Amino acid sequence: MRHEKASQLLALARMLAATAEGLTLDEMAERLGVGRRTAERMRDAVRDVFPQLEEVDEPPTRRFRIPAGLDGLFQAPTAEELAALAAAAEVFAQQGAVARAGALKSLEQKVLSATRAAARRRLAPDLEALLQAETIAVQAGPRPFEDEAVLAAVREGLLSLRALRFRYEGGSQPGRMREVTPFGLLFGRSNYLVADEGQGPRNWRLDRIREIAVIDRPAARPEGFSLQDYADESFGIYHDDTEDVVLRATPAGAEDALRWRFHANQSVEPHADGAVVVRFRASGMRELAWHLFTWGDKIEVLAPAVLKATLAAEIETARNALRPKLS
């Protein structure tokens, strides 16, 4: 129990050292999963060990932080943390996300180089054992395009709040030069730039972007725009009309449905007959239909009608592809 309390105090100290703005007592309590009074006592205990703890007045709240960070003695990584970092880099590499895999590998080297030699020697046997005992199962799917030059230009535009110009080999006019305000990047089965050409945000596939450049025109995304909220509006990556989706998982598929996340904002209703009804609001009915096809007869579409029609059309397309061609 004492060890557990010491670990919690160290975890809180790391949180306070990792934030520039500081944390309120309520934020500490939420992150640690404790009550406010317990968070207050833990803060006082951290102050006893780390007198550099700083209080920042932001009426009506107060925030706390450790501005100079922690000594390396308190920051030594564990074998599990390093193995998780290596595994994440391997997932990116297998997906074709070379730039992000390289960034994680670079971070791993920085962490190890900042770790004291004695700690590295203690970590080495356990880390080697974990790396040999754990691996990532390769899943079939597209390899996302990830060109470092394209990513660098997009990130420069995002950070400098300037517009991007590029030739786009997609859409209704392939090869046309585009000038857009960048909003952010969506990483998934394919990678997309979210940007506005004047008609609101839309998705631009990174593998279809050519001759990209940051131009000298101010371009800030609208105040209040949330990339996460934008991504949550759709099932997968496609954005079209937003629909109220209602799915019924049969009793045979209920257990799998309860463990599956169809959408970030879904609600799940178990029924007395053993079935499960899943509700969410999203766009991207075609991609959702593709996914539902993998559930076979374990999922029934209750709404909307457009999803039923889309699923039926996709099934018919697949059926036609299997029919023998007449010579």
Side-chain angles (χ1 to χ4, degrees):
M1 185 62 70
R2 290 178 180 175
H3 174 73
E4 182 181 340
K5 289 182 178 179
S7 296
Q8 275 197 313
L9 286 178
L10 184 53
L12 177 57
R14 286 170 175 158
M15 291 177 195
L16 294 170
T19 173
E21 298 82 11
L23 299 176
T24 66
L25 282 171
D26 288 335
E27 289 170 341
M28 295 181 212
E30 181 182 357
R31 295 190 185 192
L32 293 167
V34 300
R36 181 184 168 89
R37 292 294 298 276
T38 300
E40 195 169 1
R41 289 193 295 270
M42 292 177 67
R43 177 210 58 194
D44 293 340
V46 167
R47 180 185 280 128
D48 290 340
V49 180
F50 301 98
Q52 65 267 40
L53 179 70
E54 180 178 274
E55 184 175 319
V56 182
D57 270 324
E58 284 189 2
T61 62
R62 288 184 299 170
R63 310 184 77 86
F64 302 87
R65 64 189 178 192
I66 300 178
L70 300 183
D71 185 87
L73 174 65
F74 301 102
Q75 299 286 50
T78 66
E80 290 79 7
E81 289 169 340
L82 288 172
L85 184 58
E90 181 62 22
V91 170
F92 280 144
Q94 291 183 3
Q95 292 175 343
V98 178
R100 284 177 291 164
L104 288 185
K105 286 292 185 183
S106 176
L107 175 60
E108 180 185 28
Q109 292 301 314
K110 290 177 181 177
V111 170
L112 286 171
S113 65
T115 303
R116 298 183 180 187
R120 288 201 303 271
R121 287 194 294 271
R122 288 195 303 270
L123 284 170
D126 288 345
L127 178 58
E128 183 65 23
L130 286 175
L131 292 177
Q132 291 182 3
E134 300 176 0
T135 190
I136 306 297
V138 178
Q139 296 183 346
R143 291 174 62 84
F145 172 88
E146 198 160 298
D147 182 275
E148 291 190 42
V150 172
L151 286 177
V154 170
R155 286 168 173 156
E156 182 185 347
L158 289 167
L159 293 173
S160 64
L161 303 180
R162 289 187 291 164
L164 298 173
R165 180 182 292 135
F166 53 81
R167 186 180 307 281
Y168 193 62
E169 301 296 343
S172 59
Q173 296 177 297
R176 177 183 164 192
M177 294 299 294
R178 310 281 187 158
E179 190 172 307
V180 303
T181 297
F183 286 11
L185 289 162
L186 289 179
F187 294 111
R189 290 171 62 86
S190 293
N191 295 334
Y192 292 82
L193 164 66
V194 180
D196 181 11
E197 197 182 19
Q199 296 81 36
R202 58 169 287 196
N203 300 338
W204 309 80
R205 276 180 47 172
L206 293 186
D207 61 333
R208 294 178 177 173
I209 290 177
R210 307 283 188 273
E211 304 169 27
I212 188 169
V214 181
I215 62 175
D216 193 18
R217 176 175 73 78
R221 63 188 185 186
E223 185 177 351
F225 175 83
S226 166
L227 186 64
Q228 187 62 60
D229 290 345
Y230 174 79
D232 286 346
E233 288 176 0
S234 70
F235 182 90
I237 206 72
Y238 294 103
H239 282 73
D240 47 35
D241 293 338
T242 302
E243 306 285 350
D244 291 311
V245 178
V246 185
L247 309 175
R248 178 183 179 272
T250 65
E255 184 177 354
D256 289 337
L258 287 170
R259 296 176 179 174
W260 197 267
R261 189 176 78 157
F262 292 89
H263 192 268
N265 301 316
Q266 69 183 32
S267 66
V268 180
E269 306 165 10
H271 283 216
D273 63 355
V276 170
V277 172
V278 181
R279 302 175 187 272
F280 55 89
R281 185 168 174 80
S283 60
M285 294 299 101
R286 187 179 185 190
E287 193 170 3
L288 177 53
W290 291 343
H291 173 71
L292 292 178
F293 184 80
T294 67
W295 286 77
D297 60 356
K298 293 181 179 180
I299 290 282
E300 176 187 359
V301 178
L302 301 184
V306 65
L307 177 57
K308 294 182 181 181
T310 302
L311 181 56
E314 294 300 309
I315 291 173
E316 185 60 26
T317 298
R319 182 182 291 115
N320 289 336
L322 293 174
R323 287 175 180 152
K325 302 297 183 182
L326 297 177
S327 57

